[in-house]
Each structure stands twice: as structure tokens, then as C-alpha cells.
Amino acid sequence: MLEVTATRSLHVQRFGHNPAIFAAPGRVNIIGEHTDYADGFVMPAAIDFATLAAITPRSDGTVAIHSVNFDEQINYPVDNLPPKASHHWSDYPLGVLSVLREAGVPIPAFSLTLNGDVPIGAGLSSSASIEVASMVAVLSLTGADIAMTRVAQLCQRAENHFVGASTGIMDQFIACCGAENHALLLDCRSLEYRLAPIPSHLSLVIANSMVKHSHAGGEYNTRRAEVEEGTELLRRHRPEIRRLRDATPDDLARWGHEMRPEVLKRCRHIITENIRTVAAADALEAGDLKTLGRLMYEAHASFRNDFEASCPEVDILVDLASKEPGCIGARLTGGGFGGCTVNLVENARAQAFSERLHEEYREATGIEADIYLCHASAGAHRIASTEGETQLAKQLPSFH
Ligand code: ADP
Ligand code: MG
């Protein structure tokens, strides 16, 4: 966890006042891949890497934002904020201000210090964590009472419409609503969710394969088109199928032969992944770790064989993990074609697991993986401002 005290003193040194401090976490998706745009289910957990946002009001009509990570400060008159993105880190907090203003929240003048330890660009969603941390910090000055699920939607809007990155709702939602020692099963259609307990003796080990295939963007678009093609075909038979979320394995058994082979495979991944994701939440609730692990390995096989979005390096990471003592389950997490694996590992073995995985992966590929040892953590919250800085305050459902 980040140095709260250091962030506070950096803010005081620079802006002269003692700030209120908010935290919003990064995340890892435990199961449910490429199900979001099918209106299906995802099950991420917030992790103990976070962005801190320290804030104080100003009386000179200026918005001043300092990123400790980028060692840079920006200043704008509150009445003349940039209307569009400039491919700069400040797009994220400025996007947040833009959507809040659009939503009718008057933006005050303030000084904001941002300091994060979510690895940037590693697939752990530092972007959602900076958005959510900035938004809850600014809201704390405004008196606007906005539910956390709405904060998530507004932050997604900031990323989609201001920053210009098309992402689903998962990252912002888990950054807002995650809970310590819990995964969150999210229905991407209704935004209903339920928390499923992750036993406290388990760690989330995230291993970055360090592979990022440049064709990923094009492949992603092809997959989206294939999924749409399959959905349309099923819809002709059953008009109530709006998205693959509404389709069943029976539908595929009846009409799958009418699809091109690769379209059938993409649809089968999504339809079975939705079922696995709900089953994984049930398994966590029942304390059935064996089933959970099996579902994670099955999800990986489906991602690799049916969705064809894995790569040899990631398959090696999953295979190596599956042979390690104390590993409950492992799979590729994120969009695919490289990126990270998520491994559920017993705490007592997690350190040794991480070291061996690093070593064996290097032996197999010559690549040094970044490995992050995490625990399922709380969503956005204010940090208590008393002695014992590192004590976290209780989670806030909304801000007044
Ligand atoms: P990811 O979300 O996977 O980490 P993205 O490319 O979506 O990667 O978002 C990373 C971007 O978010 C960074 O390049 C930067 O612009 C912004 N960002 C994240 N954390 C910070 C921070 N602490 N300070 C300033 N900008 C940040
Ligand atoms: Mg991101």
C-alpha cells in the first residue's frame, strides 16, 4: 500500500494545506473474459495497488493537479478547463471534471495531488483508479451526493468520451465497489452485483508475460465482428436474443452448424464463459475452491482454443503455475494476445510460487516477467486523517 504520509506531506509542501485523501484501487479480473460486450458477467477483484488523491479547496479560481508519478503539475482556470483531450496524463482527471460538469455538478477550484502504485499500462487498470480517485476527491468538495455505481458510470464516460479509450464498465465499477477479501460478480447488463468471499488465506498473484502483440487491436475488432455475426444468426431463430448473454449451449447445439467454424468457436467461448463466471461466484460462496480452480483452468482453455486469443508465452505461464504447489487456479486475464495471468495461490506459498514462476518462465522464454503479489482489497474510500495514517477508513457508499 502506498505511503499515505508521504503523499500528505508532498501535498502540504506544494499547496500549503492539509488535504483529505482518497484511494481507488487497480483490479484483476478473476474470470469472465470478453463477456462484457455480450451483456454478460465478469468477476474482478480490487487489488492492494491504488491511486491516492489528496485534495484541498482553493480560493483563486484555479484547478491545480500534480502527478507525483509524472513529476508534473498542470494549472487551469476553473472557468476555462480544456474541452478535449491532449494525449497527456491529465486527460484522465480533466475528463472526470468534464463529465461531472456535464452531469450538472459545479466544479470548485482545488489543488489535487495524485500518487499511484498501480503499475501503469500493465493491465491492472491504473486508468480507472486515477479516474475514480480523482472523482471521489472532487465530489468530496462539492456536496453532490452521487452513488458509487453512478461514479463508476461517469468515470467510464470520462474514459470513453474524453480520453477516447473504448472500455467496458468493469474497471471503474470494481474500483468503486470492490470489497476487501471479496470478488465482485457483475452483471454487465443490469449493473447488479454481488460480492463473493475470497478466503483470506489466498493471494492473487498477477504475472505479466511482458508480451503485447501489436496485432491485438485488429484481432480484437475481428473477434467483435465474429461475435456479432454469430449473435445475429441466433437472433434470426430466437429474436429475444439481444446479445450472447441471452443464448444457451442448446441454441448453439441447434443452430451452431449454420455458423462459420470460427464464429461458432467465438460464440461458444462467450456462452460457456458466462456460465463459468456465475458458477465461479457460486463456488466462492460455497467455499468450494476445487471447483473454482477447475473453472479458471477451463476458462483459460476456452480463451485459448475457442476464442484463440492467448499466445504461447501466456500458455507457458498458466502451465507452469498449474504444476506449482498451493496454486488453486490460473488463467489469462484481460483482452488477450499477451498481457497478464491471474493465479489464486495460498498465502503461505505465494512468495515461493512467485519466485519459481519468474525463474521457470525465464528459463522457458528468456523473458523476465513482472510478478505482483496482491490481495483482494477495498474499493474507493477516504483514508482516515488521524494518527495511524495507514489505517483505512470504512468504505463510503456515497459522498456528501
Ligand atoms: P492501464 O489502465 O492498463 O494501467 P492505460 O493506458 O489504460 O493503462 O492507462 C494508463 C494511463 O493512466 C497513464 O499513461 C497515465 O496517463 C494515466 N495515469 C495512471 N496513473 C497515473 C498517475 N498516478 N498520475 C498521472 N497519470 C496516471
Ligand atoms: Mg486502462
Side-chain angles (χ1 to χ4, degrees):
M1 188 59 191
L2 271 165
E3 263 300 310
V4 175
T5 311
T7 305
R8 182 182 300 285
S9 38
L10 285 170
H11 187 89
V12 172
Q13 272 165 32
R14 183 171 288 260
F15 297 118
H17 298 282
N18 189 28
I21 304 184
F22 298 82
R27 63 92 187 95
V28 66
N29 192 20
I30 297 172
I31 193 165
E33 226 62 76
H34 288 272
T35 43
D36 56 345
Y37 51 82
D39 273 0
F41 295 90
V42 293
M43 191 173 76
I47 56 175
D48 38 359
F49 288 90
T51 301
L52 298 179
I55 195 160
T56 42
R58 294 174 71 111
S59 50
D60 63 354
T62 299
V63 163
I65 307 177
H66 174 231
S67 166
V68 175
N69 303 75
F70 285 79
D71 190 20
E72 192 182 13
Q73 180 177 330
I74 56 144
N75 294 293
Y76 288 101
V78 70
D79 297 328
N80 198 15
L81 293 167
K84 62 181 176 56
S86 58
H87 303 288
H88 187 257
W89 62 264
S90 58
D91 291 350
Y92 294 84
L94 292 173
V96 158
L97 299 181
S98 167
V99 296
L100 280 177
R101 187 167 269 173
E102 244 178 54
V105 176
I107 304 300
F110 61 83
S111 303
L112 180 69
T113 299
L114 295 166
N115 190 12
D117 67 356
V118 186
I120 288 176
L124 305 185
S125 207
S126 69
S127 56
S129 81
I130 188 178
E131 289 153 11
V132 172
S134 303
M135 190 171 287
V136 295
V138 172
L139 282 174
S140 74
L141 298 184
T142 66
D145 181 9
I146 300 186
M148 287 308 281
T149 51
R150 177 92 177 114
V151 169
Q153 287 172 297
L154 290 170
C155 287
Q156 182 199 11
R157 189 172 169 76
E159 184 143 352
N160 292 170
H161 294 278
F162 193 93
V163 178
S166 66
T167 61
I169 185 71
M170 174 173 79
D171 300 354
Q172 292 82 6
F173 203 95
I174 186 68
C176 284
C177 300
E180 196 176 2
N181 292 327
H182 286 80
L184 184 153
L185 177 72
L186 174 65
D187 180 333
C188 295
R189 174 174 279 167
S190 65
L191 298 191
E192 283 168 9
Y193 70 97
R194 79 182 205 247
L195 294 168
I198 297 182
S200 57
H201 72 275
L202 293 184
S203 303
L204 292 163
V205 179
I206 300 163
N208 190 341
S209 68
M210 315 304 277
V211 175
K212 236 184 208 163
H213 284 296
S214 54
H215 61 266
E219 292 281 354
Y220 179 83
N221 292 337
T222 312
R223 296 295 181 284
R224 291 284 302 248
E226 288 163 345
V227 168
E228 194 41 47
E229 185 179 325
T231 311
E232 254 179 66
L233 191 141
L234 292 177
R235 197 183 294 131
R236 269 186 248 139
H237 295 287
R238 276 217 299 127
E240 62 273 30
I241 297 177
R242 278 196 286 149
R243 300 241 192 257
L244 281 189
R245 146 71 178 275
D246 306 307
T248 65
D250 273 357
D251 294 327
L252 269 194
R254 286 180 72 181
W255 299 303
H257 66 275
E258 297 174 18
M259 297 176 183
R260 295 190 289 129
E262 57 275 27
V263 171
L264 170 62
K265 284 167 54 166
R266 310 306 181 240
C267 293
R268 188 166 58 204
H269 167 72
I270 290 177
I271 292 171
T272 57
E273 184 82 346
N274 269 326
I275 294 169
R276 279 189 294 272
T277 303
V278 176
D282 293 344
L284 274 180
E285 270 162 9
D288 181 356
L289 296 179
K290 206 166 155 220
T291 299
L292 178 70
R294 178 177 52 75
L295 291 164
M296 288 175 75
Y297 288 121
E298 284 175 9
H300 183 73
S302 172
F303 207 175
R304 180 188 61 213
N305 301 336
D306 275 350
F307 214 70
E308 296 183 276
S310 187
C311 65
E313 295 86 350
V314 166
D315 293 340
I316 288 171
L317 274 179
V318 171
D319 189 51
L320 290 172
S322 71
K323 293 176 182 142
E324 286 297 321
C327 179
I328 310 290
R331 56 176 284 278
L332 167 58
T333 183
F337 310 104
C340 296
T341 63
V342 56
N343 307 268
L344 211 51
V345 185
E346 290 165 13
N347 288 341
R349 313 249 201 187
Q351 186 62 40
F353 171 90
S354 307
E355 286 164 16
R356 282 175 57 86
L357 192 63
H358 184 268
E359 195 179 305
E360 291 176 3
Y361 183 63
R362 185 183 49 211
E363 275 167 24
T365 63
I367 303 171
E368 306 272 353
D370 284 343
I371 301 199
Y372 307 103
L373 224 164
C374 311
H375 298 93
S377 299
H381 55 276
R382 183 175 181 157
I383 292 183
S385 60
T386 49
E387 339 79 70
E389 281 266 33
T390 47
Q391 286 278 319
L392 300 183
K394 74 174 174 37
Q395 227 177 304
L396 294 179
S398 62
F399 294 86
H400 297 272

